[in-house]
Amino acid sequence: LRRVWLWYLLPLIVGPLVLIVGWSVAQRRSFASALGFLGIMAIMTVLAWRMNRDAANRLERRIEALDQTDERA
């Protein structure tokens, strides 16, 4: 979960980015016309990354707690 950006988020970013840039070029529009969509995509990506980071931290704490109880037994 700590490397979710590499195997999950990065591939999801590249495809839409290429699509939006291609659409802007094909429609002869400026890249600025796609900034709204790219901004929303960036916000969603950051939220997904943070949620996974927080989940990884929770899992790590639970594993450590289980390890401590196992050592006591």
Side-chain angles (χ1 to χ4, degrees):
L1 286 175
R2 292 199 185 278
R3 295 188 184 195
V4 70
W5 63 270
L6 186 61
W7 59 268
Y8 183 69
L9 296 176
L10 186 62
L12 288 177
I13 293 170
V14 173
L17 182 62
V18 170
L19 181 70
I20 293 301
V21 170
W23 174 80
S24 294
V25 170
Q27 298 293 322
R28 297 185 188 270
R29 295 180 183 214
S30 69
F31 187 68
S33 65
L35 284 180
F37 177 78
L38 294 174
I40 291 170
M41 192 174 78
I43 290 169
M44 290 174 52
T45 301
V46 168
L47 287 175
W49 170 73
R50 288 192 63 179
M51 287 171 49
N52 278 281
R53 183 195 63 189
D54 293 345
N57 289 337
R58 282 192 305 273
L59 282 173
E60 188 172 323
R61 284 193 301 268
R62 290 179 76 184
I63 290 169
E64 288 173 359
L66 287 171
D67 285 343
Q68 288 176 359
T69 57
D70 189 38
E71 289 173 0
R72 291 180 190 164

